[in-house]
Amino acid sequence: MTLAAEIPSSYDSILPLDQEAKSSPEHDPLKTAQGVYVTVHGHFYQPPRENPYLDAIERQPSASPFHDWNERIHWECYRPNAFARVLNDRGEVVKIVNNYEYMSFNIGPTLMSWLERHDGSVYQRILEADAKSCDRLNGHGNAIAQVYNHIILPLANERDKHTQIRWGKEDFRSRFGRDPEGMWLAETAVDYATLEALVAEDIKFIILAPSQAQRCRPIPTGDDSGGQWHEVGGNQIDPTRPYRCYLDSDESDKKDYIDIFFYDGPISRDMGFSDVVYNSHHFAGRIGAAIRGDHRQSQLISVATDGETFGHHKKGTEKTLAYAFIGEFPRHGWTVTNFAHYLSLNPPSWEVKLKSVTAWSCAHGVDRWQDDCGCGGEGGVWHQKWRRPLRNALNWLRDQLIDVYEEYGNTLFRDPWQARDEYIHVMGDRSPANIHRFLSHHQTRKLQAAEQVEALRLLEMQRHSLLMFTSCGWFFEEISRPEGTQILRYASRALELAGDVAGVQLEKGFLKRLGLAPSNVEEFKHGAEIYRQLVLTAQIGFKEVAAHYAITSLFNHHKNTVPQQQSDEHPHSHHQRVYCYNAHELDYHRQSLGPLTMAVGHLQLVSDITWESENLVFAVLHLGGWDFHCCIQQFAGRRNYSQIKEKLFTSLQQASVAHVILVMTQLFGDDTFSLQTLFAEERHRIMRLLSQDTLARLDQLYTQAYRDNYGVIMAFHRDDLEVPRELQVAAEIALGYRCLTTLKSLEQDITDLQLSRNLMGELEAIATEAKHLRCQLNIPDGNQILEQLIVRLLWQLLYDANSKIDADIQRLERLIDIGHELHLGINLNHSQELYWSCLHSQILPRITSIDSEAETMQCRQLLKLGQKLAVDVSPYLDKLL
């Protein structure tokens, strides 16, 4: 849908919200409660998806063409909201809005950690948005905290409640540089014990669904004993005001309380399940209809939904939101605010009592996360009888792990539970110096190296015991879904760590209880079988990491032969990261004989997380193609290692595959690893490497077939006949190969003006040829190269003092045209954002001080480049014409 009817003819008329407030200082709604306020809250969250053994998200094919679901939703939602476009009727960018600057939001700590690692620019935009909202709203930022990994607090034990809140607060503080005023509860699940924990941790307010309120009344004042309670248990509560919820049942002793906002239920529901957010005018109209006409001094219309609604669930609606914030809402005279700011202007004058235990996504209290209540299985034939046994099994495991933690933790930590609460400081920074600081602060005495490992294992055991309660594991209809499997993987890791520390064997008891959780999938039957098939098979130990290193070493060219005799300090050792492990290669030797290649090495692996380490010996034989034979064993001394190496390379000289494998088996035993053993990411990389020669030969064959039959293909097109599929495919592959090869050459030679012009001419010829032959080029790598080239040239033009402006502008415009002519579907978002920033910081200021015709020409060229990038510069270009 277009937003054309909503956009002013010039974006000069769109003022930042703080400027609008300053236009009438005597009636400033940011300082005094007056009029209508609007708050849109986005709950941004992704469940933890990391492999518990690697501390990284592995490729998820269901998210294709993206690496994983975090990445896919990021490009559809989190990034677009940080750079939300407001477009005119020509599809040109009128303004780029940081939606996080105007909306209330919480972003789950596990998601924020991912954003920080994978897109620093968006992460910084989110932090900047909160800081700017603090400046605009009297010190009250848009961001609020979230319970750490989205567990259902009413179902957690008392200690876990507090740890989840403390971890959520500390993660928030470390990122936003301030204490959170409010906190988002997973699924808004709440009971009075949860409120008590929130108050004890100094949380000022929460946000709930209107269905969670039971009754309300005006707060008694002075000698007034209070008015009559109004029953609002059927969603009748007025959501336009804040409420105070007292924890004390004694009417005469109301000291502890928390403030609560209830979002507008009907509008919030429509945002998720209707088309109201596809048009900002309709969205504003829906909010306007909720305004109460009772002449009160101020009121708040607040709505809340999953933040992923804007862009992921409903594509393009981040644009709706952006224009609503900077256009529609101000036009109606409404003040865009957040909950904390409104609360500072308008403290509650009503109190509320809540239903005993509730959540926004379950009509049966919190049974969706512990019982077969029907929620999550609507319209389906599958039961959820597995929920209660799964909850019981994990509760049992949690209690067993508490015993282990207290027994062994008391010997290592002054206060084990305080150490767990403060472990959040390590989870965000696993540098050795930071871990040493943490251990020094909490240890009962100076810990030996082995004791440090035990301490970290215990803390990791507790971290995984909390992760295994992530709410998503119960949310859907079947226990064997990825969400259910993921929490079982966390449980498995916790079990493993408990065994490492205490030697306890808890898995049998856990499986017995999981066996009571019936699956809807015949193949699995019950939770214990899911655990055996999907969890145990995914466990990773030091040997798997070593095998990964060994096989990939054959494709790394950083080394050939490492000296076999080294000192104990291993001064020449090679270091490499393998996910959350540090690999120290202490010796490595590789030999090839015909199609066979063998590598033998001595490797020390150290976990960044628990500091546990192992010394291992590996031998890997590449038989050619896809066949690998890898063996691993413990390092048993240099003499033994030297003998192993000598026997293996002697066997290789016989050039007999059977003999080499026999010797490997005699030396290492029957346990072997292959290409399939590799972690998926590296396996796919090696598969591509192994396929390169074959693909190159195929490209050449298709190219030859295309050249030999070019005249025939053209004849079919001239007579408007369908080209035989084999010939059309040959044409598309040949032209795609030629295009990608040219783009790679251009990437290398972009700084050479003449050569780059020639290569662009070749790309234009390819585009013309593809058009005549009706070929659709499918070269994703080419898209990426072209997009990066445009950004690179644009940055050079705008920020490099040595840039040749005329030539660089011409090359940029030509590259953009080539992208369109090739129909590659190039994405110019990064280039638009770079240009937009420079437009206001450099180009427009330069226009105001033009003093020559040459400068006028350059500024005109720069503005026309903006047109080429689909940025609306017409108001400024008109002034120069």
Side-chain angles (χ1 to χ4, degrees):
M1 294 187 180
T2 180
L3 301 176
E6 305 166 334
I7 306 299
S9 58
S10 168
Y11 49 76
D12 285 340
S13 63
I14 302 177
L15 293 175
L17 300 188
D18 54 347
Q19 289 187 28
E20 294 181 10
K22 292 173 184 174
S23 65
S24 53
E26 69 278 9
H27 299 295
D28 188 351
L30 298 181
K31 302 254 174 79
T32 308
Q34 52 188 298
V36 174
Y37 294 78
V38 176
T39 294
V40 177
H41 183 83
H43 164 50
F44 294 92
Y45 166 72
Q46 290 300 309
R49 293 189 167 99
E50 286 77 9
N51 181 316
Y53 296 90
L54 302 177
D55 197 35
I57 301 176
E58 297 175 282
R59 182 173 295 278
Q60 296 176 302
S62 61
S64 180
F66 298 93
H67 178 274
D68 54 69
W69 278 100
N70 278 23
E71 185 178 282
R72 176 170 180 165
I73 297 170
H74 171 64
W75 283 102
E76 293 173 352
C77 173
Y78 308 132
R79 194 169 215 290
N81 275 287
F83 299 93
R85 270 67 170 167
V86 176
L87 306 177
N88 61 19
D89 56 356
R90 297 186 300 277
E92 295 174 324
V93 175
V94 171
K95 195 171 181 66
I96 293 179
V97 178
N98 186 347
N99 281 345
Y100 302 105
E101 190 177 332
Y102 302 108
M103 71 190 305
S104 168
F105 65 88
N106 69 278
I107 300 181
T110 52
L111 175 57
M112 278 295 273
S113 296
W114 185 91
L115 286 170
E116 183 179 18
R117 290 194 301 267
H118 290 84
D119 194 333
S121 62
V122 169
Y123 179 76
Q124 287 301 322
R125 290 275 286 185
I126 292 169
L127 301 187
E128 291 166 6
D130 182 70
K132 288 181 178 179
S133 64
C134 276
D135 292 342
R136 183 170 63 89
L137 299 173
N138 308 329
H140 302 285
N142 286 342
I144 66 171
Q146 179 199 289
V147 293
Y148 185 78
N149 64 276
H150 216 262
I151 76 172
I152 303 301
L153 287 190
L155 296 176
N157 67 23
E158 186 68 17
R159 190 178 282 118
D160 288 357
K161 282 184 176 70
H162 284 273
T163 297
Q164 282 283 310
I165 296 168
R166 289 168 185 168
W167 282 7
K169 281 186 63 178
E170 181 52 39
D171 183 88
F172 182 96
R173 188 184 296 115
S174 70
R175 300 181 190 284
F176 294 99
R178 63 181 180 85
D179 286 324
E181 297 180 77
M183 177 165 277
W184 184 266
L185 304 178
E187 306 295 338
T188 74
V190 71
D191 60 1
Y192 274 87
T194 297
L195 295 183
E196 289 170 2
L198 291 164
V199 170
E201 301 300 335
D202 202 29
I203 298 298
K204 304 302 182 188
F205 70 86
I206 57 174
I207 307 154
L208 298 180
S211 60
Q212 295 177 267
Q214 183 63 56
R215 60 182 66 92
C216 63
R217 69 173 181 180
I219 296 176
T221 57
D223 297 331
D224 182 9
S225 60
Q228 182 179 359
W229 287 97
H230 302 275
E231 294 297 322
V232 292
N235 290 288
Q236 300 100 327
I237 196 165
D238 178 1
T240 64
R241 57 164 60 98
Y243 294 83
R244 184 149 291 171
C245 184
Y246 293 98
L247 307 186
D248 305 298
S249 57
D250 185 354
E251 291 288 327
S252 63
D253 186 27
K254 293 187 173 182
K255 294 180 181 178
D256 294 329
Y257 63 83
I258 191 168
D259 294 333
I260 300 177
F261 289 90
F262 296 93
Y263 60 78
D264 187 293
I267 301 177
S268 299
R269 184 170 54 252
D270 286 350
M271 288 167 67
F273 299 102
S274 79
D275 61 358
V276 68
V277 290
Y278 281 108
N279 183 286
S280 57
H281 179 70
H282 295 161
F283 185 35
R286 190 76 176 81
I287 286 177
I291 296 173
R292 306 292 171 110
D294 51 6
H295 307 295
R296 67 182 75 175
Q297 183 177 350
S298 68
Q299 57 183 298
L300 173 70
I301 310 300
S302 67
V303 293
T305 189
D306 289 336
E308 291 76 16
T309 298
F310 305 108
H312 172 57
H313 298 307
K314 296 182 179 294
K315 188 174 182 180
T317 53
E318 77 283 349
K319 301 181 183 71
T320 307
L321 203 57
Y323 187 69
F325 286 141
I326 66 170
E328 280 293 338
F329 294 167
R331 186 171 67 80
H332 284 82
W334 303 336
T335 302
V336 177
T337 188
N338 61 46
F339 294 109
H341 174 249
Y342 189 77
L343 194 61
S344 71
L345 300 181
N346 199 339
S349 57
W350 284 63
E351 66 175 307
V352 66
K353 287 189 180 296
L354 301 180
K355 296 175 183 177
S356 59
V357 55
T358 53
W360 76 343
S361 53
C362 181
H364 315 90
V366 291
D367 281 354
R368 184 169 191 159
W369 300 275
Q370 66 175 353
D371 226 332
D372 184 14
C373 69
C375 292
E378 296 88 350
V381 296
W382 282 1
H383 64 76
Q384 287 81 52
K385 294 176 182 177
W386 51 270
R387 283 178 176 162
R388 173 69 67 176
L390 176 61
R391 173 68 60 176
N392 290 343
L394 291 174
N395 283 344
W396 174 85
L397 178 56
R398 175 200 61 203
D399 294 342
Q400 301 302 308
L401 297 176
I402 287 173
D403 292 341
V404 172
Y405 187 67
E406 289 186 333
E407 179 182 351
Y408 289 86
N410 278 321
T411 67
L412 301 170
F413 303 118
R414 291 198 299 269
D415 182 339
W417 296 111
Q418 183 185 0
R420 183 181 82 160
D421 286 340
E422 296 184 11
Y423 187 52
I424 182 67
H425 296 289
V426 171
M427 288 154 55
D429 176 9
R430 294 192 182 275
S431 65
N434 187 53
I435 294 176
H436 276 301
R437 279 193 296 271
F438 173 84
L439 292 175
S440 297
H441 180 69
H442 290 283
Q443 63 194 10
T444 55
R445 63 190 184 285
K446 183 172 178 57
L447 301 181
Q448 300 301 311
E451 292 176 312
Q452 291 175 342
V453 170
E454 295 296 275
L456 293 173
R457 280 172 168 166
L458 282 169
L459 290 163
E460 275 299 293
M461 178 189 76
Q462 280 298 308
R463 182 171 77 93
H464 284 87
S465 78
L466 288 166
L467 289 173
M468 71 188 187
F469 285 108
T470 302
S471 68
C472 314
W474 288 267
F475 192 81
F476 299 101
E477 73 279 9
E478 165 59 17
I479 184 175
S480 63
R481 278 180 56 106
E483 300 83 3
T485 303
Q486 182 73 6
I487 65 171
L488 290 177
R489 293 176 82 183
Y490 291 131
S492 169
R493 181 61 177 145
L495 280 164
E496 191 174 52
L497 289 163
D500 290 340
V501 172
V504 292
Q505 301 299 319
L506 300 174
E507 193 169 67
K508 185 176 180 180
F510 183 60
L511 286 175
K512 178 181 178 182
R513 289 162 176 80
L514 270 186
L516 301 176
S519 169
N520 292 284
V521 179
E522 179 61 29
E523 176 187 354
F524 297 123
K525 295 184 175 58
H526 49 68
E529 193 58 33
I530 292 168
Y531 186 90
R532 292 187 185 98
Q533 291 191 39
L534 302 181
V535 177
L536 288 180
T537 55
Q539 287 182 342
I540 293 169
F542 278 99
K543 285 190 174 182
E544 283 76 16
V545 177
H548 174 96
Y549 182 93
I551 295 174
T552 58
S553 75
L554 297 173
F555 297 87
N556 297 333
H557 304 292
H558 65 267
K559 52 199 172 312
N560 192 346
T561 301
V562 175
Q564 296 179 28
Q565 298 301 321
Q566 299 181 5
S567 69
D568 290 339
E569 289 76 28
H570 309 298
H572 304 294
S573 65
H574 173 77
H575 298 262
Q576 183 178 321
R577 294 271 304 173
V578 182
Y579 291 97
C580 60
Y581 292 87
N582 264 306
H584 305 272
E585 182 189 278
L586 305 177
D587 184 74
Y588 185 89
H589 196 81
R590 180 170 58 200
Q591 286 185 11
S592 295
L593 187 66
L596 303 178
T597 300
M598 172 174 279
V600 180
H602 173 201
L603 187 67
Q604 182 189 46
L605 290 172
V606 182
S607 167
D608 287 344
I609 296 177
T610 62
W611 286 7
E612 54 194 322
S613 65
E614 285 199 15
N615 266 292
L616 299 164
V617 173
F618 65 80
V620 57
L621 177 68
H622 184 200
L623 292 77
W626 305 89
D627 293 328
F628 296 83
H629 189 81
C630 180
C631 299
I632 310 290
Q633 71 174 26
Q634 294 289 330
F635 179 74
R638 292 186 180 181
R639 181 182 176 188
N640 175 263
Y641 171 64
S642 296
Q643 291 172 346
I644 289 174
K645 189 162 52 173
E646 182 180 356
K647 289 177 181 177
L648 287 170
F649 285 122
T650 299
S651 70
L652 180 66
Q653 298 309 310
Q654 296 189 22
S656 166
V657 172
H659 179 68
V660 175
I661 291 178
L662 177 62
V663 173
M664 292 176 74
T665 303
Q666 290 170 346
L667 293 171
F668 288 86
D670 294 329
D671 286 343
T672 62
F673 303 87
S674 65
L675 184 63
Q676 194 59 35
T677 311
L678 283 183
F679 307 141
E681 209 74 37
E682 194 66 11
R683 181 171 68 249
H684 297 159
R685 183 182 77 88
I686 289 177
M687 288 166 64
R688 287 191 292 270
L689 286 173
L690 292 171
S691 302
Q692 278 182 354
D693 289 344
T694 300
L695 292 175
R697 287 195 299 272
L698 286 172
D699 284 329
Q700 292 166 5
L701 287 171
Y702 277 115
T703 298
Q704 190 61 49
Y706 168 61
R707 287 173 179 168
D708 292 346
N709 293 278
Y710 177 80
V712 175
I713 297 171
M714 287 300 296
F716 273 99
H717 282 297
R718 277 196 303 271
D719 290 350
D720 203 22
L721 295 174
E722 183 178 356
V723 179
R725 177 170 174 75
E726 294 81 358
L727 293 179
Q728 187 67 22
V729 167
E732 291 182 352
I733 291 177
L735 288 174
Y737 174 67
R738 182 174 147 205
C739 182
L740 184 58
T741 302
T742 306
L743 282 168
K744 287 179 178 178
S745 297
L746 183 61
E747 186 179 29
Q748 296 297 317
D749 300 314
I750 192 65
T751 55
D752 186 318
L753 286 177
Q754 187 56 50
L755 192 53
S756 63
R757 287 195 187 103
N758 293 340
L759 290 168
M760 287 185 201
E762 169 69 0
L763 289 171
E764 288 165 341
I766 293 169
T768 301
E769 205 167 325
K771 181 181 178 181
H772 289 159
L773 299 178
R774 299 170 200 169
C775 292
Q776 179 60 50
L777 305 185
N778 181 23
I779 44 173
D781 289 348
N783 283 30
Q784 187 176 7
I785 291 172
L786 193 52
E787 289 165 9
Q788 290 174 351
L789 277 174
I790 292 170
V791 170
R792 179 176 160 191
L793 275 179
L794 183 61
W795 190 94
Q796 178 179 305
L797 169 70
L798 299 175
Y799 294 103
D800 187 347
N802 298 318
S803 170
K804 298 178 176 62
I805 293 180
D806 293 345
D808 284 345
I809 288 177
Q810 288 177 9
R811 286 197 297 166
L812 268 168
E813 291 182 338
R814 195 173 175 188
L815 272 181
I816 294 167
D817 287 340
I818 286 170
H820 295 318
E821 290 165 8
L822 288 169
H823 298 288
L824 295 180
I826 60 170
N827 186 320
L828 294 175
N829 283 355
H830 281 296
S831 298
Q832 284 181 341
E833 291 151 14
L834 183 60
Y835 181 87
W836 179 265
S837 173
C838 194
L839 175 68
H840 293 275
S841 64
Q842 292 188 40
I843 300 173
L844 296 185
R846 184 176 173 183
I847 288 175
T848 61
S849 58
I850 288 176
D851 58 8
S852 69
E853 182 61 29
E855 273 199 277
T856 301
M857 284 295 295
Q858 279 194 350
C859 287
R860 192 177 296 138
Q861 284 180 295
L862 287 169
L863 290 174
K864 285 185 175 180
L865 176 61
Q867 286 184 321
K868 185 70 71 172
L869 290 167
V871 174
D872 181 14
V873 293
S874 53
Y876 311 109
L877 196 54
D878 291 344
K879 292 177 183 178
L880 293 178
L881 294 177

